[in-house]
Amino acid sequence: MLRHPRRGAACGYTACPGVRMADRKLSIYGAITANVAIAITKFIVAGITGSSAMLSEGIHSTVDIGNGLLLLTGTRLSRRPPTPEHPFGHGKELYFWSLIVAVLIFGLGGGLSIYEGVLHIRDPAPLEDPMWNYIVLGAAALFEGSSFTIALHQFLGEAGERPFWQALHGSKDPTHYTVLAEDGAALAGLAVAAVAVWSSHHFDMPQLDGVGSLLIGMLLAGVAVLLIHEARGLLVGEGIRRDTAQWIRDRVTREPTVRAVGPLLSMYIGADEALLAFDVELDPDTPSGEAAAMVERVEHDIRERYPKVTRIYIEARPKVKAPGISPAVPAQAD
């Protein structure tokens, strides 16, 4: 029996996480900076013009500021070293705080925007000069677009050659897909707010401004549901993709001494860390030195192709020989 746990020590295991951490924080800081400037401006203009859609956008930006701070908290806590109580580290802290972010988007961002929209539809107030609304929406689009561009650049750098939607769905880093989702929803919300403000003045129907607030709330709630779904999968122990597992199984079975490979047990324990454990059944006569060399080769190839698989536990056992049966001896005639 050979147990062989190892943790990678090349790029992707010790040196590269610091680079990824810096990239991760850059996108979050960019989002926070943009949302602070936008929120202040939106609230001021909402107070001047009485626009419900603009107020909803101000609420949205304020929630995004808090979300960015929570993601920074999760990022910092997730980098704490392992302890006896948490031997695999604290990587899942980031998943927990991303879940809190999604809940806040749903409750505060979506809920308050819907509530404000209902109030404005039931008791519409005439809008003031919409020019300030358009100026603020244009400036907000510029800030949000800059933040979205930073987050998208960081994400595409990590995605490599994979198609965008495949990489987004397969990402295990909440700081990337959460910031992208927030900024994308913000840009869509700005478009909705602009249409709502214009239509309420053009048709002289202030209720349409409340409808815009409702749509922004529904948009935020929808984005939050998607983020909650992603965070839930990672918190309950999501494993590596099927195609990744199949490649690993095929690679192990190419070893001449391997007779069978057990189930691949895997789980993401952080944004940049996945755990993998499996049993391997070897030829009965495999020397222990050859078994150890086989494990080394397999680990090297797995880590070279999938750098995020940082903890690999392989238990190699020789196949037990069936008990021998002595051939029957013909009876001698007396």
Side-chain angles (χ1 to χ4, degrees):
M1 179 174 63
L2 175 66
R3 292 183 177 88
H4 202 279
R6 289 190 60 185
R7 180 180 173 84
C11 181
Y13 318 119
T14 57
C16 292
V19 177
R20 288 195 294 268
M21 178 63 66
D23 292 344
R24 188 176 299 146
K25 289 184 176 180
L26 177 62
S27 61
I28 299 174
Y29 283 131
I32 292 176
T33 303
N35 282 311
V36 168
I38 295 169
I40 294 173
T41 308
K42 285 177 179 177
F43 280 127
I44 292 175
V45 173
I48 295 174
T49 63
S51 171
S52 174
M54 186 62 66
L55 180 60
S56 295
E57 277 297 301
I59 294 172
H60 178 192
S61 296
T62 303
V63 172
D64 283 351
I65 294 171
N67 292 342
L69 295 175
L70 289 178
L71 286 176
L72 284 176
T73 299
T75 299
R76 178 177 59 83
L77 294 177
S78 69
R79 306 310 300 180
R80 289 181 295 172
T83 63
E85 293 78 17
H86 299 87
F88 291 110
H90 299 78
K92 287 195 173 186
E93 283 274 9
L94 189 55
Y95 299 153
F96 169 76
W97 289 105
S98 69
L99 176 63
I100 300 301
V101 165
V103 172
L104 288 177
I105 293 175
F106 185 88
L108 293 180
L112 289 179
S113 295
I114 291 174
Y115 175 74
E116 175 63 26
V118 171
L119 289 182
H120 203 79
I121 291 173
R122 295 180 61 182
D123 186 21
L127 293 172
E128 302 295 333
D129 183 7
M131 183 56 65
W132 280 108
N133 284 328
Y134 297 137
I135 292 175
V136 171
L137 289 173
L142 182 62
F143 284 119
E144 292 286 5
S146 300
S147 175
F148 182 81
T149 301
I150 293 173
L152 182 62
H153 175 74
Q154 301 297 338
F155 176 76
L156 292 178
E158 181 184 287
E161 298 180 355
R162 286 185 295 167
F164 175 79
W165 291 110
Q166 179 183 343
L168 184 64
H169 180 69
S171 175
K172 309 304 176 187
D173 189 343
T175 59
H176 284 324
Y177 62 72
T178 299
V179 173
L180 277 175
E182 285 183 344
D183 289 344
L187 290 171
L190 291 172
V192 172
V195 172
V197 171
W198 176 84
S199 59
S200 61
H201 281 85
H202 182 77
F203 299 106
D204 196 22
M205 294 179 62
Q207 294 90 342
L208 294 178
D209 190 56
V211 173
S213 185
L214 275 176
L215 293 176
I216 292 172
M218 293 171 64
L219 172 67
L220 294 177
V223 170
V225 169
L226 294 177
L227 293 177
I228 289 172
H229 174 75
E230 290 295 327
R232 172 185 173 275
L234 293 168
L235 277 173
V236 300
E238 184 174 332
I240 58 178
R241 299 193 308 270
R242 290 185 180 181
D243 58 330
T244 302
Q246 187 59 50
W247 185 92
I248 294 173
R249 181 175 292 277
D250 292 342
R251 170 61 189 85
V252 178
T253 54
R254 288 203 304 267
E255 289 292 328
T257 59
V258 171
R259 288 293 165 262
V261 181
L264 301 186
L265 308 178
S266 65
M267 180 174 62
Y268 273 90
I269 56 177
D272 302 316
E273 289 189 283
L275 179 149
L276 173 67
F278 58 92
D279 297 334
V280 175
E281 192 174 78
L282 305 176
D283 280 336
D285 300 324
T286 303
S288 60
E290 174 57 28
M294 180 276 297
V295 170
E296 291 279 356
R297 290 193 298 269
V298 169
E299 284 189 351
H300 174 270
D301 289 353
I302 292 174
R303 289 195 174 103
E304 186 175 47
R305 186 175 179 90
Y306 301 107
K308 289 188 177 182
V309 183
T310 57
R311 296 179 182 268
I312 303 175
Y313 297 81
I314 301 176
E315 184 165 323
R317 298 174 179 270
K319 184 176 181 180
V320 179
K321 290 183 178 180
I325 301 176
S326 301
V329 180
Q332 298 272 337
D334 291 336

